[in-house]
Amino acid sequence: MRIAALAGGVGGARFVRGLVHELREVREDQETEVVVIGNTGDDITLFGLRICPDLDTILYTLGGGINEAQGWGRDQETHTVQRELAELGAQPQWFGLGDADFATHIARSQWLGQGMSLTEVTARLAGRWGLPGQGVRLLPATDTPIETHVVIDDDEGGQRAVHFQQWWVQLQAAVPAHRFTVAGLAQSTPAPGVLDTLRTCDVVLLPPSNPVVSIGIILGVPGIRDALRGSRAPVVGVSPIIGGAPVRGHADACLATLDVEVSAAGVAGLYADFLDGWLVDDADAGSVRVPRLDVRALDLRMRDVPGAARIAGAALDLATDLA
Ligand code: GDP
Ligand code: FO1
Ligand code: CA
């Protein structure tokens, strides 16, 4: 069996780690392959280095090297390089990069510079973090460089676009976003293996990732949304919104930009053209009533790995019932 999962950073990574635990430890299934299709809209070039936050969060989380409290970045991290960059006056200083994390970006940038594709680079990094041994393949949604930008007000009564990371990290998403634009998206093509996986897999899972700037970007790569619409596999999603609020991060601000209600129902509406099953939190039981959408309620908080595994197991059970 083959499972495809579309994933952003922290929510996606924790869900996939739970899914792997559910398959290997709980169900004692060593055969099923998990193909993770990751968001690259968050990617940014800083200090000449290509940084892929969502892919790295998945690598570090599955590989046991994540800063668990923070959700992103490396555990036991030091910041010597960052301090020296600050002494040099190098910009920007609002994006926190640790020394071990820097090594990932240095290696990635070198390999990209040598002509490797992001897919090839990601496979090499995945080897470092033991993903193949867990039966997990991590594919960037696209090898085409894309970057999510956010249109906000400027000081002269006009508007300007800033990189998504600047809006999210430096501005804390506190400045209203008029719209998101994704540089390169219209010309991008799905990375090798992405469409084939979506067309031939047995189950498609949507982890509780940000529906706008994580999963929404993946769906915007030409061909991916159509592949999901045409997929013979059941598509089952997990709501990132519980009781009308995100569990972490600023998905509420992102949904407001799209004029979409901040609710499990609002997010389901964004996936309406291909979604078959939807898991909502107990707090939202009964709140999503859509014809031909199978909705189940359970505790959706991923407090630890077994907790995330329980949610992944419920998603697999629902997919089995829908198949
Ligand atoms: P990011 O790229 O690091 O922002 O991570 P993702 O896009 O993969 O996931 C972010 C979303 O995960 C946020 O909208 C959160 O509401 C959601 N999320 C985080 N933890 C949990 C959890 O324990 N349960 C659920 N249901 N959603 C969660
Ligand atoms: N998130 C922050 O809130 N502040 C940071 O300084 C920061 C640095 C950072 C460095 C590497 C990395 O892989 C992720 C990092 N993140 C940081 C998280 C990340 O940029 C965002 O949470 C997501 O991209 C938003 O979806
Ligand atoms: Ca992200």
Side-chain angles (χ1 to χ4, degrees):
M1 184 156 103
R2 199 144 56 117
I3 300 171
L6 273 48
V10 183
R14 289 182 176 169
F15 178 84
V16 171
R17 182 172 60 180
L19 174 65
V20 172
H21 184 86
E22 174 71 16
L23 289 170
R24 313 300 180 224
E25 309 300 328
V26 179
R27 303 191 178 196
E28 296 182 358
D29 169 352
Q30 311 303 332
E31 304 301 318
T32 296
E33 188 194 11
V34 177
V35 183
V36 181
I37 298 169
N39 172 42
T40 56
D42 289 18
D43 296 7
I44 187 166
T45 300
L46 298 175
F47 311 113
L49 302 174
R50 192 67 177 160
I51 302 168
C52 303
D54 285 357
L55 298 180
D56 290 346
T57 297
I58 293 167
L59 292 167
Y60 299 161
T61 300
L62 294 180
I66 195 79
N67 179 327
E68 204 62 60
Q70 202 169 244
W72 48 268
R74 292 288 305 276
D75 60 348
Q76 296 171 354
E77 186 60 290
T78 54
H79 292 85
T80 306
V81 173
Q82 173 130 18
R83 272 197 303 278
E84 197 56 31
L85 286 168
E87 290 296 333
L88 290 164
Q91 299 290 340
Q93 290 168 13
W94 49 260
F95 200 66
L97 290 166
D99 297 329
D101 195 27
F102 257 117
T104 302
H105 314 316
I106 292 168
R108 174 189 292 118
S109 303
Q110 186 187 34
W111 294 333
L112 288 171
Q114 290 168 349
M116 287 172 69
S117 68
L118 185 60
T119 298
E120 291 166 334
V121 170
T122 304
R124 202 151 160 185
L125 294 171
R128 151 73 174 96
W129 289 106
L131 272 64
Q134 299 178 39
V136 177
R137 201 146 55 97
L138 174 60
L139 304 177
T142 175
D143 280 340
T144 314
I146 61 171
E147 278 185 7
T148 304
H149 294 163
V150 187
V151 177
I152 60 174
D153 284 336
D154 67 15
D155 296 334
E156 281 91 49
Q159 296 186 346
R160 67 184 178 123
V162 297
H163 191 285
F164 166 74
Q165 294 292 352
Q166 193 175 355
W167 179 70
W168 185 276
V169 173
Q170 188 187 28
L171 303 175
Q172 289 290 296
V175 177
H178 295 296
R179 59 195 161 88
F180 298 98
T181 60
V182 189
L185 190 68
Q187 301 79 32
S188 70
T189 52
V194 167
L195 292 185
D196 178 62
T197 296
L198 293 175
R199 289 190 189 119
T200 61
C201 66
D202 302 284
V203 177
V204 179
L205 298 179
L206 304 183
S209 284
N210 187 308
V212 181
V213 292
S214 292
I215 293 188
I217 305 300
I218 299 172
L219 294 172
V221 175
I224 292 191
R225 193 174 198 116
D226 281 343
L228 284 173
R229 286 199 190 111
S231 174
R232 61 181 181 88
V235 182
V236 173
V238 180
S239 175
I241 303 295
I242 297 182
V247 178
R248 56 177 286 155
H250 315 294
D252 45 355
C254 300
L255 288 165
T257 298
L258 268 58
D259 265 332
V260 171
E261 184 183 85
V262 184
S263 68
V267 179
L270 288 173
Y271 305 145
D273 50 328
F274 56 80
L275 193 66
D276 302 303
W278 188 231
L279 296 184
V280 303
D281 190 78
D282 287 322
D284 302 308
S287 70
V288 186
R289 278 179 300 273
V290 177
R292 288 182 300 283
L293 181 66
D294 197 326
V295 183
R296 291 183 190 170
L298 69 160
D299 176 1
L300 279 192
R301 285 181 199 273
M302 300 185 285
R303 293 179 183 84
D304 50 22
V305 177
R310 188 181 38 76
I311 297 165
L316 290 178
D317 288 344
L318 178 48
T320 303
D321 293 346
L322 288 165

